[in-house]
Amino acid sequence: MRVLAFGTFDARVHPRVGVLIEGLRAHGVEVRLVNRPLGLDTAARVDLLHRPWRLPLLALRIARCWAELAIRGRRTAREWSPDAVLVGYLGHFDVLLARRVFGATPIVLDHLIFAADTAADRGASGRGVQAVLRGLDRAAVRAADLVLLDTAEHARLLAELVPAVADRGLVTAVGAPAEWFAAADPGVHDRPGTAGSPGSPEPSDSLSVIFYGLFTPLQGATVIGEALGLLARHGATRPIRVTMAGRGQDLDAARAAAGAVEAAAEAVVEAAVTVTWLDWVDPAELPSLVAGHEVCLGILGTGSKARRVVPNKVFQGAAAGCAIITSDTAAQRAALGGAAEYVPAGDAAALADRLRALADDPARVADLRTRARARAREAFTAAAVTQPLVERLARHGSPDPHPSPDARPTTVIPTRSTSAPAARARRAPLPPLAPRAWLRHDLVSRWLDRLRPATVLELGCGQGGFGARLAARSRYLGVEPDETAAAVARARITPLGGSVLTGDQRAVPAGSTYDLVCAFEVLEHLEQDAAMVALWAGFVRPGGHLMLSVPAWPDRFGPMDTHAGHYRRYTPSGLTGLLVAAGLEPVATQVYGWPLGYALEAVRNPIDARKLARVEGLSNEELTASTGRTFQPPNRAVGAAVAVATTPFRYLQRLTTRHGTGLVALARKPTG
C-alpha cells in the first residue's frame, strides 16, 4: 500500500503527523512526503483572528506554499500513484487543495480538533468568527473521504456538525513518537539530579513535577498556578520541585496565581515548593526534560473542548515514564484507564492535595509510573495508534500484513454518490476561471447547493467558465451575443450535456421557463437595467429563482469599469430594489471579494487607464463585446495556479459580508 503525506504541516511543532507516518511504515505501508511547512503554529493562527487585518498575509503565505505543493503533488501522483493521501494536522485548508490536486484518490484528513472549538478556547468566540470557522470545519471534513479524530467525543461532534459525513470519522489516539519511549530508558535516569527509573522504589529528595505546552484555558495553567500557591502556603512532607515550560495567553495569570511560591521561597531556606519557569524548550530536548521528572501534569481546563480532548502531553508523559495527573473526563479515562491520577477539572485545591499526597507516598508514584509506561507501550506507540487506520485502508485487501509495493490492497473508504452531471464533469475537465470569478464562484456554488435547480438558463455566459460548472449540475442553456466567446463556451459546455446559443435573451426559446435564471457580470453593461431585469424575470418559472452578480459600490467606479463598458456599479439596496420592481421576492444580497478583490482592482485600474486612449470613441456596446474574453487564464497550467492561489482568499472573504468589490443577489418568483 502507498500513502502520500501531504500538506503544510510541521512535524517538529506538531508531532502527531510524524506518529502517523512512523506507524504506517511500521505496518509495512510505503509512505512518501510532499510537505512545505507553513511556519505558523496554532497560537499564531488564532492570533490572526484577533488581528484580522493581517489575514491577507496568511492567505499569501498559504498561496506560496500551495504553489509548490500543487506542482510536487501532481508530479508525485503521476509517477507514484498513491493509494491514499494523508493530509496532516492543521490541514483545514490543505485538504481542499488535496482534493483538487489528487482528484478521485482517497483523502485522509487528520482533523484531530475543530477550528471553531480551538478559537473559542483561545478567546476568539465572536459570532462572526465562529460562523466562519464552523464553515471551514464543515468544508474540510466534506472534502475528505476519511476523517481522523482523537476521541469518541470528537467523533460525536463531527456527527453533530455534518451528519452526512459521520460515517467517515475514525478515532485514532494521538500517541507518542519513538523518541519519547527512548527517553524513558533506564540509562537516561541514572544521571545525578534526575528522577529514578520507572518503577524504582527508591525515593529522591523531592517530588519532581513538570507541566509543558501552551498556557491557554484548555490547559488550565492558572489552575496549576493556584495549586502551586496553595502548596507553598500549606507545605508538604517532601519538597516538590516544579518545572513550568511554555508560553501563552494565560502565562502571566498562572505566574500571578503561583506568586505565593516565590514569597515562601524568600522567607525560608528550604521551601516546600520551588518553581522553574522555562519560556521555551527545543523540541529535540523536550523528551529527555520530561523524562527527568516523576510526574507530568495533563490539562485542567473546564471548557467544552477540555472535556473532549486527550492532550499530547498525556501520551508523551506516559511514554517517557512519568506518573500522569490530569482532569477527570470520560475521554481521558478511556485513554488512560487506571494508569493515571484524576482530579476534577478546574479544582486547584484537589490538584494541590493530590500532589501533596504523592509527595508523601513515593511507592504510589513508582506504581503510577510503571502503569503509565505499560499503558503507553500497549496503546500509545505509533504502530498501535495507526492500527485502526491501516485496517480501514486495507480492509478486504491483501491478507499479508506487510505487503510489497507490487501487492497493493484495495482501499476501503466511504465513497460519495455521483450524479450524472457530476460524472460528465469528471470526464470533461472544467475550464479555468479568472481570480475574481473564483471569488464569486465560492458564494454562488454554496447557494446552488441549497437550490439544486434541475434547469438553468444563463444569460451572457461568456466563454463558459461558469456555464460549464452549471452544466455539470443541471440541464443547462446558455446564451452569449459575442460569436467568438459563444464558440468557446459551446466547445466547453456541449460535452457536459449543456447547450449554448449565439445571441441575447431573444435567442431563448419562446415560452420556456427555468428553475434558475442567472446573469453574472452582465447587468452593469446594460443601459436599461430595470427593464432587462423585468424581462429576465419572465424566464423564471413560478417558485424558481433569478441570480445576478454585479460590481459593487458606485464610488469605486474607475478606469476598469469604463474600459469594460460598464454603465454603473451597484449598492446592495439598489440591486435589491431592481428585483422587487420586477415582481420578485428578495432572498439574499451579499457582498463578496474582500480582500483580494481590492488588490485585483488596484492592479487592473492603472492597466485599463492606459488602454482607454486606444479605445476612445467606442460605444459601451462595442467595449462590452470582448469583455468576456479578457483577463482569462490562457491555459490549464495558469488556470490551475490561479485556482490554488485564490483558494485561501475564498475562505478569507467569508469573514465579512459588508466589505468587498462584488455583489450577488438571489430572488424568488412568487407562485401565486
Side-chain angles (χ1 to χ4, degrees):
M1 186 190 304
R2 295 176 176 177
V3 173
L4 180 66
F6 177 85
T8 57
F9 58 83
D10 188 341
R12 274 176 50 86
V13 178
H14 298 112
R16 157 72 168 191
V17 67
V19 171
L20 293 177
I21 293 170
E22 177 187 333
L24 288 171
R25 286 173 172 163
H27 285 284
V29 177
E30 188 179 356
V31 182
R32 290 188 184 180
L33 273 68
V34 172
N35 176 224
R36 174 72 156 78
L38 187 61
L40 291 175
D41 59 13
T42 307
R45 298 181 196 211
V46 172
D47 182 61
L48 288 171
L49 297 177
H50 294 289
R51 294 188 285 178
W53 57 89
R54 297 186 61 197
L55 285 170
L57 300 178
L58 170 63
L60 288 171
R61 184 177 291 198
I62 291 174
R64 285 198 300 269
C65 292
W66 276 14
E68 178 183 333
L69 289 172
I71 293 170
R72 292 172 55 199
R74 290 182 190 278
R75 183 188 305 125
T76 304
R78 286 194 305 269
E79 298 173 353
W80 194 56
S81 296
D83 294 291
V85 175
L86 171 65
V87 177
Y89 171 64
L90 291 182
H92 295 72
F93 288 114
D94 293 342
V95 69
L96 306 175
L97 174 65
R99 175 54 64 199
R100 182 170 298 278
V101 170
F102 299 104
T105 302
I107 305 294
V108 180
L109 171 63
D110 186 27
H111 196 61
L112 202 61
I113 62 170
F114 292 79
D117 222 16
T118 300
D121 178 66
R122 306 292 176 88
S125 56
R127 182 180 300 176
V129 169
Q130 283 292 299
V132 169
L133 293 179
R134 281 194 295 272
L136 177 59
D137 282 324
R138 290 188 183 98
V141 298
R142 283 173 176 151
D145 298 288
L146 188 62
V147 182
L148 303 186
L149 304 148
D150 63 328
T151 65
E153 287 72 14
H154 273 143
R156 285 193 287 272
L157 182 59
L158 172 67
E160 294 170 9
L161 184 71
V162 191
V165 304
D167 63 332
R168 301 181 198 171
L170 179 67
V171 175
T172 57
V174 172
E179 56 265 27
W180 286 86
F181 291 90
D185 289 342
V188 174
H189 305 283
D190 292 341
R191 301 190 305 272
T194 61
S197 61
S200 170
E202 296 299 325
S204 60
D205 294 336
S206 61
L207 177 69
S208 56
V209 179
I210 188 167
F211 169 83
Y212 67 95
L214 292 171
F215 286 63
T216 65
L218 168 71
Q219 308 291 333
T222 54
V223 177
I224 297 172
E226 291 168 8
L228 298 181
L230 291 172
L231 285 169
R233 285 191 290 271
H234 300 294
T237 303
R238 185 162 59 122
I240 300 175
R241 174 172 55 86
V242 181
T243 300
M244 299 285 286
R247 62 187 109 178
Q249 67 199 68
D250 289 346
L251 175 59
D252 292 341
R255 295 196 70 149
V261 176
E262 283 76 8
E266 294 173 0
V268 298
V269 175
E270 189 157 343
V273 180
T274 58
V275 181
T276 300
W277 300 87
L278 301 177
D279 183 58
W280 182 80
V281 178
D282 188 287
E285 299 174 1
L286 191 57
S288 60
L289 173 68
V290 174
H293 293 75
E294 295 167 280
V295 176
C296 178
L297 300 180
I299 59 173
L300 282 302
T302 58
S304 58
K305 181 181 177 182
R307 294 192 294 272
R308 287 192 283 263
V309 304
V310 182
N312 270 319
K313 61 176 67 65
V314 163
F315 297 102
Q316 295 167 348
C322 296
I324 303 298
I325 302 179
T326 194
S327 58
D328 192 355
T329 65
Q332 297 199 85
R333 280 193 178 272
L336 294 161
E341 289 275 353
Y342 302 98
V343 297
D347 194 333
L351 176 59
D353 289 343
R354 197 60 50 90
L355 287 171
R356 188 183 295 109
L358 290 180
D360 294 342
D361 191 352
R364 173 63 176 163
V365 175
D367 178 60
L368 283 170
R369 297 181 72 188
T370 299
R371 288 172 179 267
R373 176 71 166 156
R375 179 61 177 161
R377 286 193 173 279
E378 172 194 7
F380 303 160
T381 64
V385 301
T386 53
Q387 183 67 39
L389 173 59
V390 171
E391 291 175 355
R392 184 73 165 261
L393 291 174
R395 192 180 301 152
H396 307 308
S398 168
D400 182 358
H402 301 290
S404 68
D406 295 328
R408 294 165 61 186
T410 302
T411 56
V412 180
I413 296 177
T415 56
R416 308 158 187 234
S417 61
T418 304
S419 65
R424 293 196 301 268
R426 191 167 291 125
R427 292 195 298 269
L430 295 175
L433 295 178
R436 192 164 180 267
W438 272 120
L439 298 178
R440 184 167 61 254
H441 181 265
D442 175 68
L443 176 57
V444 170
S445 63
R446 285 182 282 132
W447 287 5
L448 290 173
D449 287 341
R450 295 197 297 270
L451 295 176
R452 298 184 179 277
T455 57
V456 175
L457 167 65
E458 184 181 8
L459 298 151
C461 65
Q463 292 185 320
F466 256 56
R469 288 159 174 81
L470 293 168
R473 293 170 172 262
S474 312
R475 294 196 303 277
Y476 172 90
L477 172 64
V479 296
E480 169 56 43
D482 181 69
E483 292 184 4
T484 303
V488 174
R490 191 173 295 112
R492 290 171 164 178
I493 291 170
T494 301
L496 296 166
S499 301
V500 176
L501 302 177
T502 302
D504 57 17
Q505 67 279 352
R506 289 169 292 189
V508 179
S512 61
T513 59
Y514 303 84
D515 295 329
L516 175 67
V517 176
C518 49
F520 302 116
E521 310 303 290
V522 175
L523 193 63
E524 65 276 10
H525 294 274
L526 304 174
E527 187 172 6
Q528 303 298 325
D529 57 349
M532 194 58 66
V533 171
L535 193 155
W536 291 345
F539 295 122
V540 182
R541 68 160 179 81
H545 294 82
L546 176 65
M547 185 185 297
L548 305 175
S549 77
V550 295
W553 312 121
D555 59 0
R556 293 192 61 81
F557 196 96
M560 179 190 77
D561 298 282
T562 302
H563 187 260
H566 293 177
Y567 280 95
R568 68 195 70 79
R569 295 173 75 117
Y570 293 82
T571 63
S573 61
L575 184 58
T576 301
L578 290 176
L579 295 169
V580 172
L584 302 174
E585 299 171 345
V587 175
T589 301
Q590 187 167 321
V591 181
Y592 74 93
W594 177 89
L596 182 59
Y598 294 109
L600 294 173
E601 290 192 358
V603 171
R604 277 199 60 177
N605 273 316
I607 294 173
D608 286 335
R610 291 192 293 271
K611 293 180 178 179
L612 286 177
R614 298 199 297 268
V615 297
E616 187 175 357
L618 294 181
S619 66
N620 273 28
E621 289 72 20
E622 290 170 315
L623 291 170
T624 295
S626 64
T627 188
R629 305 194 301 268
T630 58
F631 288 96
Q632 300 299 314
N635 53 53
R636 291 200 174 277
V638 174
V642 170
V644 168
T646 56
T647 299
F649 292 99
R650 294 178 230 165
Y651 287 89
L652 197 57
Q653 70 180 350
R654 298 183 188 181
L655 290 173
T656 176
T657 58
R658 293 182 298 173
H659 303 287
T661 58
L663 283 171
V664 180
L666 181 68
R668 179 179 177 273
K669 188 170 186 175
T671 55

